Amino acid sequence: MFEQRTFGAWRTDVRTFFVGCLFVLACVVPVLSSKAETVVQGVLQLQWADPPRALPGRVQKAPQLDAWLEIGPGRRIALDVNQARRAAGDLYALANRRVAVSYGAQANVASSSRVMAASQPTQVIQAIVPTDRLPQRALAAGADGRVMASAPVLGATRWITLMCKFADIATEQKPREYFQAQYGNAPGQLGHYWSEVSYGQVNLAGSSAHGWYTLPQPRAAYMATVNGKEKAQLSTLFADCAAAADAEVDFSGIQGVNLMFNGELDGNAWGGGACATLDGVYTCTRATWSPPWSFINLAPLAHEMGHGYGLPHSNNSDGDGDTYDNPWDLMSDAWRNAASDTVLGTLPKHLNMYQRERLGWLPAARKRVIAADNRETQEFVLDAGSLVGSTQVQLAVLAMPAQADPYKTVIYTLEARRRTGPYESKLAGDAVIIHKLEDYGIAYSIDRDVPAANVSNNEGSMLKVGGRWNTPDERHWVEVVSATANGFVVRVGPRPRSMSSPAPVLERPATVAASSSSAPAPRVPAPRTAPQAAARTGCRVLPEILRVRALCALMER
């Protein structure tokens, strides 16, 4: 089903790798033969676990991430997450996509959808590359020097909600009408939220809720003990819930399934992807798993849907192990500084601007890249990310020197946030928020306080009028000059030159608009654009670190 959707990553047309039949592969290859290089194809599945917000005085539970390659019904290869991150570069951009995985030697294939730990890979993963057909407009690299491996999510993304009861739990916390209303287009509902945060690039048209359905087994049957802890068997839950609903639900054309359960799972809500037989066809799709504490609040449900769209967690820069401490981003702290509704509970705030861009939602004209070798002082209007229809910059990127491994190239981003609208009204303040992009695509909010605050809703995390910040190497400096009705006027410049060098030229709008919507737009110099590289084909489209012999042979034949 995912092959029918729009995916984008590499600029050239990476040839589609068709394996005659995944079922045949699953039957005849119980254990992959040992070779110097082994390439296996399938659908990359990621699943993130998110615990509820910790009670005051309690330590926040850590998130979890599982990864595996789905090669057919009941047939999968578990992937070591750290190996997969290094091998893929941007692992999250490949979620729910067809990929090829190259191993240095043998990989064990699980014959069951039960405990993932039972089929851990035995050899190092060398490379993971997409093998689905890509649109010509997908870029291999952005003007900021980072690899652009993400797949755009555009148009109608129809989700189905399935409400399922454990065989030994009769409670039905909410009626079907409640879950159907979650998909509405009124402010505060998911249809409205995803349309607003994507600038109209995504809608939930045709989404619907169904249930309650009774699962064939009691709750305990869907739990396993992994490393001494209870863990929900998500694939079995997905398959059984979908099978219970299959007679009356049309799964054709869906982009995701939200599963609602009337009992606790394993202390987490989950989001990512899953595979099962839907309408008689074995299908891999986006999926979420929500216990009652999650589905009675829209924010955690939207967070899990974000994982379904392939978004990883964000973080702040305090250096601790808690990823849920950046309340500027739905994909980090969904609970703090969030608006609420009497019916829908805690509402989702917006995503950071870089993640919106990676999903194809930000028009190119609203992004400004400051080159790593910039020698000019530039001044421009930075509109708040919540402003739909802006004609100004909404994402400014401070490029840094390119690294030998392009996936490790670090950048800094600037975005404006304002306390306005149904989702952003409870933010900590009106300010320019800075993020550092590293660790293969993770966004870390920057805090000027030393030491950094445990939760980044402090003054140090907000660059306000008169505030100034430098990148650690002083390659770029940033200053917030003034406020506008919809954002800020921002000035960015290079590190000071020596006394014998001419001073950098200040590029300033002819007039600074008091409002970017009610006054003529300031004349802002067009950002530099990187020269277009000659088209590359075959294996040459990949970064050097991913040019594994077996993959190259497949791509160039």
Side-chain angles (χ1 to χ4, degrees):
M1 183 161 294
F2 266 89
E3 280 72 27
Q4 298 175 356
R5 301 176 192 155
T6 304
F7 295 114
W10 309 99
R11 177 167 47 185
T12 58
D13 62 335
V14 180
R15 294 183 180 180
T16 306
F17 294 178
F18 289 109
V19 180
C21 179
L22 290 176
F23 179 77
V24 173
L25 179 64
C27 291
V28 302
V29 195
V31 178
L32 302 174
S33 60
S34 177
K35 299 179 181 179
E37 292 175 1
T38 300
V39 176
V40 188
Q41 297 185 63
V43 177
L44 177 66
Q45 293 288 282
L46 303 178
Q47 290 174 348
W48 285 264
D50 294 295
R53 179 180 178 180
L55 296 174
R58 300 287 185 89
V59 176
Q60 177 66 60
K61 287 178 59 180
Q64 303 172 48
L65 174 60
D66 291 339
W68 72 91
L69 188 70
E70 186 85 17
I71 61 175
R75 310 290 293 180
R76 62 184 58 181
I77 303 173
L79 304 178
D80 179 278
V81 172
N82 290 327
Q83 289 184 25
R85 283 194 183 105
R86 291 190 296 268
D90 190 342
L91 180 71
Y92 319 112
L94 302 179
N96 294 316
R97 293 178 60 185
R98 189 164 180 76
V99 301
V101 178
S102 173
Y103 289 91
Q106 178 175 308
N108 293 331
V109 181
S111 60
S112 170
S113 64
R114 296 289 294 176
V115 183
M116 293 299 298
S119 58
Q120 293 300 313
T122 59
Q123 299 298 324
V124 174
I125 302 170
Q126 293 183 324
I128 303 177
V129 297
T131 62
D132 45 12
R133 188 173 296 279
L134 310 170
Q136 291 295 319
R137 66 190 180 92
L139 296 179
D144 53 39
R146 287 183 61 85
V147 173
M148 300 292 289
S150 58
V153 177
L154 305 171
T157 57
R158 176 175 168 249
W159 286 74
I160 294 291
T161 288
L162 301 180
M163 305 124 63
C164 286
K165 301 187 296 182
F166 294 108
D168 58 339
I169 302 176
T171 306
E172 298 178 1
Q173 287 85 354
K174 297 288 185 180
R176 189 193 68 82
E177 291 74 20
Y178 170 84
F179 296 101
Q180 183 63 53
Q182 289 182 325
Y183 290 126
N185 292 310
Q189 297 174 318
L190 287 171
H192 182 273
Y193 171 78
W194 286 112
S195 177
E196 178 172 299
V197 81
S198 70
Y199 306 117
Q201 297 293 321
V202 162
N203 66 76
L204 303 186
S207 298
S208 56
H210 307 270
W212 291 85
Y213 303 104
T214 300
L215 295 169
Q217 301 186 77
R219 176 189 174 278
Y222 294 100
M223 303 296 143
T225 300
V226 179
N227 297 324
K229 297 181 179 179
E230 187 176 61
K231 187 170 186 179
Q233 299 305 287
L234 303 181
S235 294
T236 305
L237 282 166
F238 183 84
D240 283 1
C241 190
D246 191 63
E248 62 181 53
V249 176
D250 177 13
F251 290 102
S252 61
I254 63 164
Q255 297 289 303
V257 178
N258 287 317
L259 301 173
M260 310 299 177
F261 296 97
N262 70 335
E264 184 56 82
L265 298 177
D266 52 12
N268 299 288
W270 290 79
C275 304
T277 299
L278 306 176
D279 290 342
V281 179
Y282 193 71
T283 303
C284 294
T285 186
R286 303 177 177 101
T288 72
W289 295 255
S290 292
W293 61 261
S294 176
F295 66 62
I296 63 173
N297 292 284
L298 218 57
L301 177 55
H303 178 106
E304 302 310 332
M305 291 177 71
H307 287 319
Y309 287 135
L311 296 180
H313 285 129
S314 298
N315 208 333
N316 72 356
S317 52
D318 63 0
D320 65 14
D322 182 6
T323 193
Y324 305 108
D325 47 14
N326 174 5
W328 299 100
D329 192 343
L330 172 71
M331 298 312 295
S332 177
D333 186 351
W335 300 96
R336 296 183 184 93
N337 299 106
S340 62
D341 180 87
T342 55
V343 175
L344 298 170
T346 303
L347 298 181
K349 65 201 75 173
H350 282 192
L351 305 167
N352 73 67
M353 291 302 299
Y354 188 83
Q355 302 295 17
R356 295 196 230 192
E357 188 209 15
R358 69 186 276 138
L359 293 180
W361 297 345
L362 182 70
R366 300 189 206 172
K367 176 183 177 181
R368 187 183 185 98
V369 177
I370 312 299
D373 60 352
N374 174 55
R375 290 293 179 265
E376 301 170 337
T377 301
Q378 303 179 35
E379 192 171 285
F380 52 91
V381 172
L382 184 66
D383 271 350
S386 56
L387 183 62
V388 177
S390 170
T391 58
Q392 304 293 347
V393 175
Q394 290 181 294
L395 171 64
V397 176
L398 308 180
M400 302 294 283
Q403 303 299 305
D405 178 352
Y407 291 103
K408 291 186 177 180
T409 298
V410 172
I411 63 171
Y412 291 87
T413 66
L414 311 177
E415 62 184 80
R417 302 293 284 271
R418 294 180 66 249
R419 291 168 293 183
T420 184
Y423 311 108
E424 303 274 90
S425 61
K426 298 297 183 180
L427 294 178
D430 299 343
V432 172
I433 307 302
I434 305 169
H435 285 90
K436 180 182 183 181
L437 267 293
E438 60 177 346
D439 290 346
Y440 306 105
I442 303 297
Y444 296 83
S445 64
I446 294 297
D447 189 344
R448 293 180 298 156
D449 287 350
V450 180
N454 288 332
V455 179
S456 57
N457 54 5
N458 59 317
E459 287 295 320
S461 69
M462 297 182 278
L463 198 62
K464 297 183 177 180
V465 174
R468 188 178 173 111
W469 174 81
N470 297 323
T471 56
D473 63 356
E474 297 188 342
R475 181 174 297 273
H476 303 284
W477 55 262
V478 179
E479 181 182 7
V480 180
V481 178
S482 61
T484 71
N486 293 312
F488 300 91
V489 175
V490 175
R491 188 178 294 158
V492 178
R495 65 160 61 101
R497 297 189 178 188
S498 64
M499 293 298 292
S500 59
S501 302
V505 176
L506 170 63
E507 294 188 359
R508 180 192 298 273
T511 59
V512 176
S515 167
S516 61
S517 59
S518 60
R523 298 176 58 192
V524 180
R528 296 180 181 181
T529 56
Q532 294 292 322
R536 295 176 294 169
T537 60
C539 199
R540 287 169 299 188
V541 71
L542 302 176
E544 261 187 70
I545 60 170
L546 298 184
R547 296 181 188 176
V548 178
R549 184 176 58 196
L551 288 177
C552 291
L554 284 172
M555 295 178 69
E556 294 181 353
R557 67 187 182 185

